[in-house]
Amino acid sequence: MNYFLSSRIASLFRREFFENKTIVILGPLFLVMVSLIVIIFTALFVDRVGTFFGGRLVGEFLQGLDASMVEVEGGLEIKFSDTEGGAISIESFEAKEALGTLDDISNTKAIDIDVDVDDNLVEGSFKLNEILYYLHKLIMLVPLLISINYLLGCLLYDRLDGSYFFWRSMPVSPKEEIIVKLMVALFAIPLIFGFASFLIQILSLLIFIFPIYRIGLDPISVILENLDISNWVWFLILDWLDRGVMLAPIFSFAVLISSLAKRSGFFTSVFAILTLGFLEGVLFGSNNFIDGALLYLPWPISADVRIVDSPTSLVAGLIIACFFLVMAIYFRSRPLFFNN
Amino acid sequence: MESLIRAIDLRPMNGWSTVLRDVNIDIPPGKIVGLIGPNGSGKTTLLKSLVGFNKSVGNLSVLNQDPRLVGSNLFNDVFFIPDSSSLPSWMKINELFSYLSGVHKNFDLEKATLLLDSSNLDARVDIGKLSKGMAAQLYLVIATAVDSRLLILDEPTLGLDLLFRKKVYRKLLQDYPNSDRSVLISTHEIVEIEEFLTDVIFLNNGEILLSSSMEALAKDFLELKVDSEQLGLAQALPSVSSRACPGGRQILYRNIDRAELEKFGEVKQACLSDIFLSLIAGGNKQ
């Protein structure tokens, strides 16, 4: 029985893959290729292309990496001993040669510097982690849009093409069907695109070896000194889980819209959002619906919210998601519209 | 013997209007039942109501369960695909088989593959690219490969040529008589299916005109070919219908003693299509 259930769920996932294989296979490939072209272009023109960090040029950013390395070569040694509570304490500061004029600094003088690490997964000293972090966030906007588009059509297209009753005549409940579709959008599509993003980031590092080398630095040292690999991989995993859970209410709303739409999921969702926002504004004078929804969207649409930072939002989001899903399951069994 | 389908005073509701009127059906195991009616008579509506797709009122039991309450679990033992045009057009045939073998515990992948190989269908083709006849073949391959207790087919041979239709019916229905399983088929093609049926239901304007076994039908309906001399006497008996034929008229009688009719001319068993047309014509006149 359990074997059959798992086989059935696997088949439902396979069915989603069959239906969306163009997006699932060609989408990431296309993304990698486009990103590759952009990265090569950026690497070739490092002194003309700007970064996202304060409008600096990529070339200047690479020089910044260079400066970090010189400090290391000069004998600067920093030991991170305590990161609890967001405070990093520097216990050892041996830099006599590098800081020759500062004779009064003791070899073992402890300097406490508070560094706010709550809002960042990456530590300030690992500049490549920071740039890869934002690169990943930007890349992951693509699967976000793809997932929303997929969900807006997932319960609509079979009513449009006449196959609704075929799917209904299978021993698969609307609940199973909808949960699998939601899981595909929340976890499977981001996972596939997450791997694509990972590949793009590795390719970026490999391609940027060339401009780093050209400005007279040792590329391998620069990458190793500026990239915390475990932090980088851990961030990718956490970001995948974060968006999978935090996007649940938004995606469940898209599923509900798909179960209700007559012809276009997109226009129905725009209409529903504007109507609900307008009604709330007129009746209560507030704008909590749209503001609240935006909270669950990832950077750069809203501030970077993680599940560990906002348990209240998480619980509220999951309750709202369940409510939307129950409604979607109801309307899947009893559709309002058939179009053929 | 317990019925596989039992509907008492079933009235499927479509919006505010009632499509069917107090339908009563009882299908025991081992039967091949033809649901026959003209276009718009309510056949598809009835079939969808029997599996719980349409809202309905009245008593309904399919495999001792109420389809309106049991949900998708019903389809582990009941196979129902509305028609071949409802097959998902974006899927390839092998993808469809892969899906069915995963979700349907009674789907025999090996059997389906063998049946597909014996047809002219390519498993790598998108279903949407199949002609109407090919889609009907695929539909029947799936129906044959699913070992369900109750098979409900809605116009299964629509689009198939005459030669293929009989072959299909023979292959599809050979295992059903005298088993614990039954088939309910809605169709227009009475002539081709007649020899396979054990029971028949005639539906017109949402109303069951006749529900009978083929054996009872053969006894109850007789056709008399009468010449002009005997015509007056023959017409004096209560008949169902009458039509001109070379050398006289053919008159259809219901529940009249065969010996009595033989006094007026040649008596033979009425064919299903004649009975159907006569009853439909009678129903429409009313």
XYZ file of all heavy atoms in Angstrom, chain A residues 4 7-9 11-12 14-16 18-21 161-174 176 333-334, chain B residues 48 52-55 72 75-76 78 80-82 85-92 95-96 98-105:
504
model
N 2.659 1.531 -3.170
C 1.823 2.052 -4.240
C 1.610 3.563 -4.096
O 1.611 4.282 -5.089
C 0.480 1.322 -4.286
C -0.304 1.727 -5.496
C 0.103 1.297 -6.746
C -1.380 2.569 -5.393
C -0.577 1.700 -7.890
C -2.058 2.974 -6.522
C -1.658 2.520 -7.770
N 4.688 5.223 -5.303
C 4.759 5.084 -6.755
C 3.792 6.074 -7.424
O 4.101 6.669 -8.449
C 4.404 3.648 -7.124
O 3.797 3.574 -8.367
N 2.624 6.229 -6.800
C 1.630 7.157 -7.348
C 2.127 8.597 -7.268
O 2.013 9.359 -8.224
C 0.318 7.000 -6.587
C -0.827 7.670 -7.293
C -2.129 7.243 -6.728
N -2.300 7.642 -5.357
C -3.242 7.188 -4.559
N -4.067 6.275 -5.004
N -3.367 7.614 -3.343
N 2.697 8.950 -6.129
C 3.209 10.316 -5.966
C 4.352 10.555 -6.957
O 4.428 11.609 -7.593
C 3.692 10.546 -4.506
C 2.518 10.389 -3.530
C 4.343 11.913 -4.348
C 1.384 11.365 -3.682
N 4.676 9.147 -9.800
C 4.061 9.294 -11.122
C 3.470 10.685 -11.318
O 3.515 11.239 -12.414
C 2.945 8.267 -11.309
O 3.498 7.011 -11.454
N 2.910 11.214 -10.242
C 2.349 12.573 -10.341
C 3.455 13.593 -10.599
O 3.288 14.525 -11.382
C 1.587 12.921 -9.060
C 0.304 12.122 -8.826
C -0.324 12.484 -7.490
C -0.700 12.366 -9.938
N 6.257 12.865 -12.067
C 6.709 12.591 -13.433
C 5.785 13.258 -14.446
O 6.232 13.818 -15.441
C 6.720 11.083 -13.657
C 8.052 10.593 -14.129
C 8.208 9.136 -14.361
N 7.090 8.269 -14.226
C 6.973 7.357 -13.263
N 7.900 7.257 -12.328
N 5.932 6.557 -13.221
N 4.507 13.187 -14.136
C 3.537 13.809 -15.046
C 3.803 15.312 -15.177
O 3.749 15.864 -16.269
C 2.121 13.583 -14.500
C 1.014 14.280 -15.234
C -0.050 14.768 -14.257
N -1.134 15.460 -14.907
C -1.070 16.722 -15.329
N 0.042 17.415 -15.205
N -2.101 17.295 -15.896
N 4.106 15.975 -14.053
C 4.403 17.408 -14.088
C 5.662 17.666 -14.910
O 5.743 18.651 -15.645
C 4.590 17.961 -12.671
C 3.355 17.864 -11.797
C 2.133 18.516 -12.411
O 2.243 19.625 -12.932
O 1.051 17.877 -12.371
N 6.746 15.745 -17.386
C 6.401 15.544 -18.792
C 5.720 16.798 -19.359
O 6.019 17.228 -20.457
C 5.426 14.358 -18.961
C 6.032 13.011 -18.680
C 5.249 11.984 -18.162
C 7.366 12.759 -18.934
C 5.794 10.733 -17.907
C 7.922 11.513 -18.679
C 7.128 10.505 -18.164
N 4.809 17.344 -18.577
C 4.031 18.487 -19.071
C 4.886 19.744 -19.200
O 4.658 20.564 -20.075
C 2.836 18.760 -18.133
C 1.884 19.792 -18.711
C 0.604 19.960 -17.908
O 0.527 19.387 -16.802
O -0.297 20.655 -18.381
N 5.874 19.877 -18.310
C 6.653 21.113 -18.277
C 8.114 20.884 -18.622
O 8.980 21.612 -18.154
C 6.526 21.750 -16.887
C 5.083 22.035 -16.549
O 4.494 22.946 -17.095
N 4.490 21.223 -15.680
N 8.376 19.863 -19.443
C 9.777 19.526 -19.703
C 10.524 20.635 -20.434
O 11.730 20.773 -20.256
C 9.907 18.183 -20.414
C 9.097 17.997 -21.653
C 9.311 16.575 -22.172
C 8.431 16.271 -23.344
N 7.139 15.711 -23.008
N -8.259 22.516 -22.488
C -8.023 21.569 -23.595
C -8.921 20.333 -23.526
O -8.814 19.425 -24.359
C -6.543 21.166 -23.679
C -6.096 20.230 -22.558
O -6.938 19.761 -21.786
O -4.885 19.967 -22.452
N -9.805 20.273 -22.559
C -10.787 19.184 -22.517
C -10.320 17.924 -21.812
O -11.031 16.926 -21.797
N -9.113 17.941 -21.235
C -8.621 16.719 -20.592
C -8.961 16.658 -19.096
O -8.520 15.749 -18.399
C -7.101 16.596 -20.771
O -6.438 17.684 -20.190
N -9.746 17.628 -18.636
C -10.095 17.680 -17.207
C -10.687 16.355 -16.714
O -10.270 15.814 -15.690
C -11.078 18.835 -16.961
C -11.675 18.836 -15.580
C -10.958 19.327 -14.495
C -12.965 18.338 -15.355
C -11.505 19.325 -13.220
C -13.513 18.332 -14.083
C -12.782 18.824 -13.025
O -13.326 18.809 -11.762
N -11.638 15.813 -17.478
C -12.307 14.592 -17.019
C -11.399 13.365 -17.103
O -11.595 12.401 -16.378
C -13.615 14.354 -17.784
C -14.718 15.245 -17.302
C -15.256 16.218 -18.112
C -15.200 15.120 -16.004
C -16.264 17.048 -17.650
C -16.210 15.947 -15.531
C -16.733 16.911 -16.356
N -10.433 13.423 -17.993
C -9.469 12.323 -18.016
C -8.702 12.276 -16.692
O -8.568 11.221 -16.073
C -8.481 12.490 -19.182
C -7.378 11.486 -19.145
C -7.587 10.206 -19.622
C -6.136 11.793 -18.599
C -6.573 9.259 -19.562
C -5.125 10.860 -18.538
C -5.345 9.582 -19.022
N -8.223 13.424 -16.244
C -7.461 13.466 -14.986
C -8.355 13.152 -13.795
O -7.927 12.516 -12.837
C -6.779 14.838 -14.806
C -5.847 15.147 -15.932
C -5.973 16.141 -16.851
C -4.659 14.428 -16.299
N -4.946 16.091 -17.763
C -4.121 15.056 -17.437
C -3.992 13.316 -15.772
C -2.962 14.611 -18.069
C -2.838 12.873 -16.392
C -2.334 13.519 -17.524
N -9.593 13.597 -13.891
C -10.528 13.308 -12.797
C -10.841 11.813 -12.715
O -11.191 11.308 -11.638
C -11.837 14.082 -13.005
C -11.828 15.535 -12.592
C -11.764 15.761 -11.084
N -12.794 15.073 -10.334
C -14.044 15.491 -10.194
N -14.433 16.605 -10.761
N -14.904 14.810 -9.466
N -10.755 11.110 -13.856
C -11.126 9.687 -13.852
C -9.958 8.787 -13.439
O -10.056 7.568 -13.544
C -11.668 9.271 -15.216
O -10.675 9.445 -16.192
N -8.888 9.392 -12.994
C -7.771 8.623 -12.449
C -7.950 8.489 -10.926
O -8.549 9.380 -10.303
C -6.447 9.343 -12.724
C -6.074 9.431 -14.184
S -5.730 7.808 -14.869
C -6.975 7.694 -16.142
N -7.428 7.421 -10.350
C -7.571 7.282 -8.879
C -6.614 8.193 -8.119
O -5.801 7.750 -7.313
C -7.261 5.800 -8.641
C -6.476 5.371 -9.810
C -6.807 6.249 -10.959
N -6.700 9.472 -8.418
C -5.848 10.480 -7.777
C -6.762 11.575 -7.254
O -7.564 12.121 -8.022
C -4.849 11.090 -8.796
C -4.041 12.198 -8.157
C -3.942 10.022 -9.377
N -6.662 11.874 -5.985
C -7.568 12.883 -5.426
C -7.090 14.283 -5.791
O -5.895 14.498 -6.005
C -7.634 12.737 -3.910
O -6.391 13.096 -3.358
N -8.008 15.250 -5.859
C -7.601 16.638 -6.121
C -6.567 17.131 -5.106
O -5.693 17.923 -5.449
C -8.915 17.414 -5.999
C -9.977 16.429 -6.262
C -9.467 15.121 -5.760
N -4.147 15.343 -3.590
C -2.816 14.846 -3.992
C -2.294 15.627 -5.197
O -1.128 16.020 -5.241
C -2.904 13.367 -4.373
C -3.074 12.434 -3.204
C -3.365 11.005 -3.649
O -4.083 10.801 -4.652
O -2.877 10.095 -2.979
N -12.594 20.120 -7.551
C -13.626 19.073 -7.633
C -14.908 19.607 -8.258
O -15.635 18.870 -8.905
C -13.962 18.542 -6.242
O -12.800 18.201 -5.558
N -15.165 20.873 -8.033
C -16.413 21.464 -8.536
C -16.083 22.739 -9.309
O -16.294 23.848 -8.817
C -17.346 21.802 -7.368
C -17.704 20.613 -6.511
C -18.226 21.036 -5.160
N -18.438 19.912 -4.283
C -17.469 19.329 -3.569
N -16.234 19.784 -3.616
N -17.733 18.297 -2.788
N -21.588 10.446 -16.494
C -20.830 11.312 -15.570
C -21.485 11.347 -14.188
O -20.798 11.442 -13.175
C -20.712 12.725 -16.139
C -19.703 12.824 -17.277
C -19.582 14.246 -17.778
C -18.551 14.327 -18.890
N -18.524 15.668 -19.519
N -20.063 10.235 -10.341
C -19.981 11.343 -9.387
C -19.421 12.629 -9.947
O -19.144 13.569 -9.204
N -19.241 12.698 -11.268
C -18.726 13.944 -11.855
C -19.795 15.030 -11.905
O -19.484 16.208 -11.858
C -18.201 13.698 -13.277
C -16.874 12.996 -13.325
C -16.344 12.569 -14.522
C -16.143 12.767 -12.170
C -15.116 11.923 -14.568
C -14.923 12.127 -12.204
C -14.411 11.699 -13.407
N -21.038 14.610 -12.078
C -22.131 15.586 -12.095
C -22.891 15.509 -10.770
O -23.032 14.441 -10.190
C -23.106 15.277 -13.229
C -22.548 15.668 -14.572
O -21.527 16.348 -14.666
N -23.202 15.233 -15.631
N -23.380 16.659 -10.362
C -24.195 16.675 -9.141
C -25.492 15.917 -9.416
O -26.054 16.010 -10.511
C -24.531 18.118 -8.769
C -23.344 18.918 -8.277
C -23.777 20.348 -8.017
C -22.577 21.240 -7.768
N -22.926 22.655 -7.770
N -12.051 9.926 -5.507
C -11.196 9.316 -6.530
C -10.895 7.840 -6.280
O -10.498 7.131 -7.201
C -9.887 10.092 -6.625
O -9.237 10.064 -5.375
N -12.110 5.075 -8.629
C -11.508 4.781 -9.936
C -10.397 3.736 -9.876
O -9.776 3.443 -10.892
C -11.021 6.084 -10.581
C -12.153 7.019 -10.865
C -12.371 8.136 -10.065
C -13.040 6.750 -11.879
C -13.441 8.976 -10.294
C -14.110 7.583 -12.124
C -14.317 8.704 -11.336
N -10.159 3.182 -8.702
C -9.277 2.020 -8.640
C -9.957 0.802 -9.259
O -9.297 -0.058 -9.825
C -8.906 1.709 -7.188
C -7.795 2.606 -6.702
O -6.796 2.796 -7.391
N -7.970 3.181 -5.514
N -13.133 1.213 -11.045
C -14.032 1.640 -12.126
C -13.193 2.378 -13.162
O -12.451 3.300 -12.825
C -15.120 2.607 -11.599
C -15.977 3.121 -12.740
C -15.985 1.916 -10.555
N -13.333 4.785 -16.280
C -14.211 5.669 -17.054
C -13.393 6.813 -17.625
O -12.810 7.596 -16.885
C -15.326 6.234 -16.170
C -16.128 7.318 -16.842
C -16.916 7.031 -17.941
C -16.086 8.628 -16.397
C -17.645 8.029 -18.577
C -16.820 9.633 -17.015
C -17.602 9.326 -18.104
N -13.297 6.844 -18.936
C -12.730 8.025 -19.586
C -13.834 8.542 -20.503
O -14.349 7.778 -21.327
C -11.465 7.691 -20.403
C -10.374 7.142 -19.474
C -10.952 8.931 -21.110
C -9.103 6.749 -20.199
N -14.243 9.792 -20.333
C -15.426 10.273 -21.069
C -15.377 9.978 -22.569
O -16.291 9.406 -23.120
C -15.425 11.773 -20.797
C -14.778 11.890 -19.469
C -13.727 10.835 -19.436
N -11.361 12.205 -27.045
C -10.892 13.589 -27.174
C -10.449 14.168 -25.828
O -9.862 15.244 -25.787
C -11.984 14.462 -27.779
O -13.061 14.560 -26.882
N -10.748 13.457 -24.742
C -10.331 13.981 -23.435
C -8.919 13.522 -23.059
O -8.398 13.917 -22.024
C -11.324 13.548 -22.355
O -11.204 12.163 -22.127
N -8.289 12.711 -23.903
C -6.914 12.306 -23.606
C -6.005 13.538 -23.694
O -6.195 14.382 -24.563
C -6.444 11.237 -24.601
C -7.185 9.902 -24.533
C -6.775 9.009 -25.704
C -6.907 9.180 -23.228
N -5.025 13.652 -22.802
C -4.190 14.871 -22.785
C -3.328 14.994 -24.042
O -2.503 14.126 -24.310
C -3.323 14.681 -21.543
C -3.362 13.234 -21.237
C -4.649 12.704 -21.754
N -3.553 16.063 -24.803
C -2.919 16.201 -26.115
C -1.412 16.439 -26.033
O -0.682 16.111 -26.956
C -3.593 17.336 -26.885
O -3.517 18.515 -26.122
N -0.937 16.982 -24.911
C 0.495 17.330 -24.814
C 1.370 16.127 -24.478
O 2.582 16.182 -24.575
C 0.713 18.421 -23.772
C 0.107 18.113 -22.429
C -1.112 18.518 -21.988
C 0.681 17.316 -21.381
N -1.333 18.022 -20.727
C -0.249 17.297 -20.325
C 1.889 16.642 -21.228
C -0.008 16.614 -19.142
C 2.136 15.963 -20.054
C 1.186 15.956 -19.022
N 0.723 15.035 -24.102
C 1.481 13.872 -23.639
C 1.848 12.942 -24.792
O 1.091 12.815 -25.740
C 0.607 13.098 -22.649
C 1.233 12.886 -21.306
S 0.069 12.082 -20.206
C 1.095 11.965 -18.757
N 2.972 12.280 -24.654
C 3.293 11.203 -25.594
C 2.631 9.920 -25.072
O 2.367 9.809 -23.866
C 4.804 11.003 -25.674
C 5.544 12.181 -26.278
C 7.009 11.865 -26.414
C 7.807 13.097 -26.767
N 7.399 13.805 -27.963
N 4.524 8.259 -22.337
C 4.425 9.016 -21.086
C 3.086 8.735 -20.392
O 3.022 8.601 -19.167
C 4.556 10.518 -21.366
C 5.941 10.927 -21.825
C 6.001 12.377 -22.296
O 4.938 13.005 -22.479
O 7.119 12.860 -22.509
N 2.053 8.624 -21.215
C 0.724 8.325 -20.662
C 0.728 6.942 -20.000
O 0.203 6.769 -18.895
C -0.322 8.389 -21.772
C -1.762 8.091 -21.365
C -2.270 9.122 -20.375
C -2.680 8.064 -22.576
N 3.307 5.378 -18.803
C 4.137 5.472 -17.601
C 3.330 6.058 -16.436
O 3.382 5.569 -15.302
C 5.356 6.351 -17.907
O 5.941 6.809 -16.737
N 2.566 7.078 -16.751
C 1.723 7.713 -15.727
C 0.670 6.732 -15.217
O 0.496 6.554 -14.001
C 1.061 8.960 -16.319
C 0.043 9.593 -15.411
C 0.436 10.408 -14.355
C -1.325 9.368 -15.589
C -0.500 10.978 -13.500
C -2.260 9.931 -14.746
C -1.839 10.733 -13.711
O -2.768 11.293 -12.867
N -0.015 6.074 -16.165
C -1.089 5.155 -15.775
C -0.558 3.988 -14.941
O -1.196 3.570 -13.968
C -1.787 4.614 -17.026
C -2.728 5.588 -17.738
C -3.106 5.072 -19.109
C -3.984 5.817 -16.910
N 0.604 3.480 -15.316
C 1.142 2.345 -14.555
C 1.512 2.755 -13.134
O 1.534 1.916 -12.230
C 2.351 1.744 -15.272
O 3.380 2.694 -15.336
N 1.772 4.053 -12.955
C 2.105 4.536 -11.611
C 0.893 4.807 -10.743
O 0.919 4.553 -9.541
N -0.159 5.347 -11.361
C -1.303 5.765 -10.540
C -2.442 4.737 -10.495
O -3.239 4.755 -9.570
C -1.890 7.127 -10.994
C -0.867 8.219 -10.897
C -2.463 7.058 -12.391
N -2.504 3.871 -11.514
C -3.632 2.939 -11.590
C -3.144 1.535 -11.276
O -2.411 0.941 -12.068
C -4.233 2.991 -12.992
C -5.712 2.788 -12.997
N -6.290 1.666 -12.465
C -6.728 3.560 -13.444
C -7.600 1.762 -12.604
N -7.893 2.903 -13.181
N -3.544 1.017 -10.145
C -2.994 -0.283 -9.741
C -3.479 -1.427 -10.618
O -2.872 -2.498 -10.624
C -3.284 -0.565 -8.266
C -4.739 -0.727 -7.909
C -4.876 -0.965 -6.418
C -6.334 -1.119 -6.025
N -6.519 -1.184 -4.592
